[in-house]
Amino acid sequence: MNITKHIKYKKILFLAITFFLANNVNAQFYNKEVKATIRVDKNSEFYTFNAISENLTPSDYNLRYEFMVFREDENKNTSKSSQGNRFFLKANEKQVLSSVTINYNDTGKIILALLIYDKDDKPIGQARIELAEGGKTEIDTDKKKIEAVTNDQAPAQDGYIKKGFVLKKTISKPGLDFYRLFYSKYYNLGVNTPYDILVTESFARGRTTKIEVLVDNQLVWQFFSQPRKQFLEQMAKTAFERTIAQLRILQKQDKQLTQY
């Protein structure tokens, strides 16, 4: 690498680190309306880092994200790669934006940073993970441990302690298909809550069945089942959005009781 490129890369890394350290001081201004998180999945040979955005409000947003990876090798040479695009985030929606994989054998310092900008290109959400020894860095994929590693985030919005269950009482194939679609969204987006969620199905008029989704025994969505996959996918999407909204209501109630 020639001197010019070396200086350029060092400048990129310096500016990035300086920027995120400065933002850390004002972290309370971020992740209030739209929350940025980096979720870590551990596989047999590598870590997968998922950039996730979560709308904490009842309003829709037009946004832009940038998911950056800064690398410093053993010779102190630095490089930057990034993924980014504009996206639309509906009220109470949680969305996986992008992902990066890092092999366990990767060496050198690695910094992963996610920034989310509003329609005026103002940063409103941020998250950051630093791997001091690259892929060899020990990462506990437990959610609470990951949040401790991503120390540039605002305090976690969902301080849950125990994890609830997604239960099912289905009686037909469409009911089971709906449950699988719903649970796939729940699992892939890493929802962590102490409240149980129940998907239940009962006989209705004629040959149809009624499917209900309950959060902590409170009904959040119901519909008459159909076998069409497209219909079930839409119902799973709507039910999941209603579930997230209800979980936030319960969380706020818990905080108010705790403060009282």
Side-chain angles (χ1 to χ4, degrees):
M1 176 179 292
N2 61 42
I3 296 177
T4 302
K5 288 185 177 180
H6 179 74
I7 293 174
K8 178 182 177 182
Y9 285 135
K10 294 294 285 186
K11 184 178 180 181
I12 289 173
L13 186 61
F14 173 77
L15 290 175
I17 295 174
T18 302
F19 175 77
F20 286 108
L21 286 176
N23 281 346
N24 189 40
V25 176
N26 298 307
Q28 65 269 23
F29 298 113
Y30 296 94
N31 300 331
K32 295 299 184 182
E33 298 175 343
V34 176
K35 180 182 176 183
T37 54
I38 301 175
R39 191 187 73 215
V40 185
D41 294 328
K42 188 175 182 180
N43 299 304
S44 58
E45 298 180 0
F46 52 83
Y47 292 112
T48 299
F49 297 87
N50 300 283
I52 297 176
S53 65
E54 183 177 4
N55 190 345
L56 304 176
T57 75
S59 302
D60 298 342
Y61 285 96
N62 284 302
L63 304 166
R64 180 176 73 85
Y65 79 90
E66 187 174 10
F67 191 27
M68 299 165 284
V69 180
F70 300 90
R71 297 174 182 266
E72 182 181 274
D73 64 23
E74 296 175 347
N75 297 319
K76 302 299 181 181
N77 297 319
T78 59
S79 63
K80 172 194 172 185
S81 61
S82 67
Q83 305 173 25
N85 208 341
R86 294 197 172 274
F87 66 103
F88 182 75
L89 195 63
K90 294 177 62 177
N92 299 308
E93 184 181 9
K94 194 172 184 179
Q95 187 178 139
V96 177
L97 302 171
S98 183
S99 63
V100 170
T101 58
I102 293 178
N103 194 288
Y104 296 158
N105 295 322
D106 284 2
T107 58
K109 186 176 181 179
I110 299 175
I111 297 175
L112 299 101
L114 171 63
L115 279 175
I116 297 177
Y117 302 86
D118 65 13
K119 61 182 179 63
D120 299 317
D121 240 22
K122 174 185 175 183
I124 58 174
Q126 68 167 4
R128 176 180 180 272
I129 292 180
E130 180 177 326
L131 308 177
E133 300 177 348
K136 298 183 181 298
T137 304
E138 289 294 326
I139 301 177
D140 192 327
T141 54
D142 177 76
K143 185 175 186 293
K144 293 192 289 292
K145 300 290 181 59
I146 292 171
E147 287 180 344
V149 174
T150 57
N151 52 19
D152 274 354
Q153 296 183 45
Q157 299 285 332
D158 53 1
Y160 298 131
I161 298 175
K162 79 177 185 68
K163 188 171 184 178
F165 297 94
V166 181
L167 309 170
K168 66 179 175 67
K169 293 182 180 179
T170 57
I171 57 177
S172 71
K173 185 178 184 302
L176 180 59
D177 290 342
F178 168 81
Y179 170 81
R180 288 172 174 168
L181 290 166
F182 177 87
Y183 184 76
S184 177
K185 293 180 178 293
Y186 180 94
Y187 177 80
N188 290 335
L189 289 171
V191 177
N192 188 21
T193 173
Y195 303 106
D196 289 338
I197 299 169
L198 174 64
V199 176
T200 181
E201 183 180 19
S202 58
F203 290 107
R205 57 180 179 271
R207 297 183 178 181
T208 62
T209 61
K210 183 171 69 172
I211 296 176
E212 298 179 335
V213 179
L214 299 93
V215 177
D216 196 33
N217 292 321
Q218 299 182 52
L219 181 66
V220 297
W221 188 243
Q222 62 180 343
F223 63 95
F224 292 107
S225 67
Q226 296 180 18
R228 293 186 298 112
K229 183 178 180 181
Q230 186 176 4
F231 172 79
L232 293 175
E233 288 176 342
Q234 181 58 48
M235 290 299 99
K237 182 175 182 294
T238 302
F240 183 76
E241 291 171 354
R242 296 293 183 92
T243 296
I244 294 298
Q246 181 62 25
L247 288 173
R248 294 210 181 102
I249 292 172
L250 293 173
Q251 176 188 330
K252 289 179 181 178
Q253 291 175 350
D254 285 349
K255 286 184 178 179
Q256 289 172 354
L257 289 173
T258 301
Q259 291 173 354
Y260 178 79

